[in-house]
Structure formats: C-alpha cells, structure tokens
Amino acid sequence: MNPLAAIGRTFLAFLSATGRTVTFAALALFHCATPPWYPRLIVRQVLDIGYYSLPVVGLTAVFTGMVLALQSYTGFSRFQAESAVAGIVALSITRELGPVLAGLMVAGRVGAAIAAEIGTMRVTEQIDALTTLSTNPFRYLVAPRMIAATLTLPVLVLVADVIGVMGGYAVSIHKLGFSPTVYLASTFDILKTMDVVSGLVKATVFGFLVALMGCYHGYHSRLGAQGVGQATTYAVVSGSILILTFNYIVTEIFFPE
Amino acid sequence: MTDGTAKISVRGLKKSFGRKTVLDGVDFDVAPGESLVIIGGSGTGKSVTIKCILGLIEPDEGTIEIDGDNATGLGGGDRDALMAKFGMLFQGGALFDSLTVWENVAFRLIRPRGASRREAREAAIDNLGMVGLGEDVADLHPAELSGGMMKRVALARAIAARPDIVFFDEPTTGLDPITADVINDLIVSVREKLGVSTVSITHDMASVRKIADRVAMLHGGRLVWTGSAGEIDASGNPFVDQFINGHADGPIAMDVRRP
Ligand SMILES: Nc1ncnc2c1ncn2[C@@H]1O[C@H](COP(=O)(O)OP(=O)(O)OP(=O)(O)O)[C@@H](O)[C@H]1O
Ligand SMILES: [Mg+2]
C-alpha cells in the first residue's frame, strides 16, 4: 500500500464527486427555471418542508435566544457591559444562529426525508417507471423539492429570528431584570436591515443546499435497503457540512470588513 | 406484418457494467402483434435487455430500432415521444406509493397528456376493470394491496395509455400458481383486445407456454436459442432442455460452477 497513491485516489474521488454534484445541481437548476412546473407538488413540498419544520425550528430558536441572553449577561457583567445583551442576542440570532441552526435542523429533518424518499423510489424502480411514463424525474421529483426548500427556508428563518429574539427578551426581562422598553429600544437600535437580510440570503442558500444533497444522494442511491440508509446519512452529513462552509462564504461576501 | 417492418429490431446489443459483460451481442426482432418471451437464468441480463430498449440504460454497442426508427441516444422530447409507444410492467411493480391506485393507473393520462382528473379517474377505472379489479380499489394506496393486486394495477397502468408495445418483466414471479395463471390470462386477453406487441421476461414455464408466440433463451450474453413456442420441447438445445426441466446438471450449471 503506497500512502501517496491512497491520498491521490481519495483526492481524485473527491474531484469526481464534486463534478457529479455540480452537474446534478446545474441540471436541477435548469429544471427549476423552465416550465412545465407542477404547482400541486410544490405546494405539498412547501407544507412538508416548511410547515412541519416549524415546531423544530421554533423550539431551537427560543432556547438559543434564551441561552444567548443568559450567557452574554454572565459574560458581560464582568465588564459592567450588561447593556450589550440585547444587541448580542439580536445580532447573533439574525446573522448567524437563526439561519445556521434552522438550516442544520432542516438538513436533519428534510434532507434525510428527501434522500430516503427518492432513494426508495430509485431502488424500487419508481424513477425508471416515471421515465417510461414520459415524465422527467428531475421535473417531477427534484425541481419541486428544490424550489420548495429554497423558498421556504427564509420564511422559517424569519420566524426563527422573531422567536429567538423573543426568547432572549423573555429571559432578560423575567430573569435578569432588564426593563422591557430599554431592552426593545436597544434591540432595534442595533439591528440593521442588512443583519436580517444577510441571514435570509443565507437561509435561501441553505435551503437550496439541503434539498440538493437530499435529491442527489437519493437519486444516486445504491440498490437495497442499505443503499437508501447510506444515502440518507450522506445527505444529512454533506448537507450540514455545506451549510457551515457556505455560511462562511456568504458572511465573507456580506461583511468583508 | 404486411409491410415487413419489425416493431422492434435489436442488433448486436452489448452492455457491460465495469468489467462485467452482461450482454455480448444480442439480436432479435419482434413483429407487429407478436409475443416474444425471453427466458434465462437469474442475472443473465434479461431486465437489462428490456431497459436498453426503453432507454433506461444506455447500451455500449449495437442498434435498436422501433418501427424502423433509431431508438438509442435519444434525448428530451424524442425520448418522451418514443415512450408514448411503450408500456412497461416492472419486475417489482414500481407503483408510486405516494399516489392512490387510480392516480397510478391514470398517471400518463394526467401528466403528459393533460386530461382532467375526472376523465382520468374514469379511464383508470375502465382499465382496472380490464384487469379484473373493481372501483373499490381505486382510492387505496399501493401499500394496501396484495402482491397479485399490485401486479394487476401495474398491468393496468402499463396499458392505460394504449401503447403499441408492452414489456412484462417477470409478471408472475412471487405469485401463487393460481394467481399467476390469472395474470397470464390477463396478458393474453389484453394482447388480443389491444393488438399490441409484447416482450416478456419470465422464469415460469407455465407462463411461457401460455403467452409466447416465440421464445428466446438468453445465456452468456447471447441468445442461444430462438424458436416458436411449439418447438420449445423439441428444441434439441441443451440450454433450453435444462431450463425447461429445471435440472441442476447441464451446460448452465457447469457455467455457474466455474470459478
Ligand atoms: N445498473 C446496474 N449497475 C450495475 N450492474 C447492473 C445494473 N443493472 C444490472 N446489473 C447487472 O447485470 C446483470 C444482469 O442483471 P438483470 O437485472 O438484467 O438480470 P435478470 O436476467 O433480469 O435476472 P433476474 O431474473 O434475477 O431478474 C446482473 O449481474 C446485475 O448485477
Ligand atoms: Mg430481472
């Protein structure tokens, strides 16, 4: 075993996987952007992806906001800088934690479900059946999920932003003894449109990535139940890693310093 | 048959997966209205052959013509137009489990053809009637059906859009002998009613005797024997004899035992 050869092989495999993913993404984009669309399917996916993710995302947001308030209070009280709590909560939630945590939750819930569903359809020849019924699987399966996830995640994140800030507010008022008016005033004082917008742009990108990874791994699922299980795992792991990677890239674009 | 053009004409079909050669030069024709049955052991490439004709698998070499027109390497609209001539019953049924039975049967009528849902439902129920299923199953989901019912629904879906050519991949596998015979009868009656050409794959000799006009035996990537259904018992071909009689010893078994 030559270690250099092993490294080389891994690198080549990585490149070819990247190439396949980019090709898949391009095909998916093409089918998202051109008619015919299937509105019924898109609506169903919006419900599946968006509506049913609300509880998970909401709970994540509220506890994150609460813990942020508590942590930053205990931290900043060492410098008598407690008044920064409201700003820290608002900025962290809207810029970072709202989109990233919602994205990761959705990657776990939705990315896995998409991969399992499409993977099962691959394994049971339902995707071949679609083709023989003159229906393009990219149009029928991939595009509705990509469109729905890309449109829905920003809405989810907006909800998460509000709930997260409320969580921080609740802890600050009821536990840390802040005055409601002062807390709200400093929140809105610090928060700029760009903070929220950058978070929503992130959410759009994350929604696209989660659905892309779910569809890609499901579509290329290996045969058998094991293949579907593997596709599901890959979808969640690669979706999460891409979210964290693109989180940095989008941040860099919005706030280049 | 009058104009002499074959419905399907396959020449020199080759397909390998990695280093494994599955098809190594397969040739056959299917005449209009004819029923060809392909037999052969598991993993000899029967399903791959059909999938090449359907364009689900791209062949490495060879030509496939449908009604005299090339059918390989087609994309987009041409492929969809060609698919309109085909009906396919998949080995596992491949019913869409997110849809109800009638939506499955009417799938091609709703999506590409744009029929209204009411019309499509009526057409679906007609087709379910043709395979002996009542309106009561129309609103069930595939998961609620037995294996035999699933095959019937899949058959109804395959013929719903009135194709010219229907493919059956192991229509009777996994069914009890009586249900299998019912499916065979349905295939025969559908073929008589619609006048379609059919290509079927099976391991089941009862099925062969019932539905075949002509039989082809696939082995080692080639068709080792082709003949009319009546000749099969007197083929004089050791592969066919062994297959019919289901003996472990013979040319096929020797092949399997080779490391
Ligand atoms: N998509 C694929 N990728 C890799 N190998 C494949 C693929 N499809 C089929 N094969 C291989 O080709 C061979 C023939 O498969 P095929 O499904 O045609 O067999 P079959 O004759 O239909 O057998 P059975 O009667 O068991 O269905 C098998 O060894 C299978 O492993
Ligand atoms: Mg098969």
Side-chain angles (χ1 to χ4, degrees), chain B residues 77 79 94 143 146 167 193 220 241:
Chain B
R79 166 69 48 204
S146 74
F167 299 90
K193 266 187 223 155
D241 283 343

Side-chain angles (χ1 to χ4, degrees), chain A residues 11-36:
Chain A
F11 184 63
L12 286 181
F14 172 76
L15 284 186
S16 84
T18 310
R20 276 199 304 274
T21 312
V22 170
T23 315
F24 189 94
L27 259 178
L29 274 176
F30 171 77
H31 287 98
C32 288
T34 53

Side-chain angles (χ1 to χ4, degrees), chain B residues 47 91 169-170:
Chain B
S47 299
Q91 198 163 340
D169 194 345
E170 307 200 4

Side-chain angles (χ1 to χ4, degrees), chain A residues 97-139:
Chain A
L97 296 173
V100 170
L101 291 180
L104 291 176
M105 290 321 244
V106 170
R109 214 189 78 82
V110 174
I114 291 178
E117 197 178 354
I118 295 186
T120 306
M121 292 187 72
R122 161 66 68 203
V123 170
T124 56
E125 296 184 310
Q126 292 178 51
I127 293 185
D128 288 342
L130 274 180
T131 311
T132 65
L133 295 167
S134 305
T135 302
N136 183 329
F138 268 83
R139 259 188 217 304

Side-chain angles (χ1 to χ4, degrees), chain A residues 23-102:
Chain A
T23 315
F24 189 94
L27 259 178
L29 274 176
F30 171 77
H31 287 98
C32 288
T34 53
W37 293 285
Y38 295 120
R40 284 167 68 97
L41 297 179
I42 297 176
V43 169
R44 195 160 89 205
Q45 291 302 324
V46 166
L47 280 183
D48 257 13
I49 296 172
Y51 185 71
Y52 295 113
S53 296
L54 269 177
V56 181
V57 170
L59 282 172
T60 311
V62 75
F63 284 115
T64 307
M66 286 163 67
V67 87
L68 264 179
L70 207 54
Q71 285 283 22
S72 46
Y73 179 82
T74 49
F76 284 113
S77 59
R78 293 178 199 165
F79 319 101
Q80 280 75 48
E82 298 91 337
S83 57
V85 168
I88 292 288
V89 169
L91 287 186
S92 318
I93 291 276
T94 54
R95 281 190 179 194
E96 285 298 327
L97 296 173
V100 170
L101 291 180

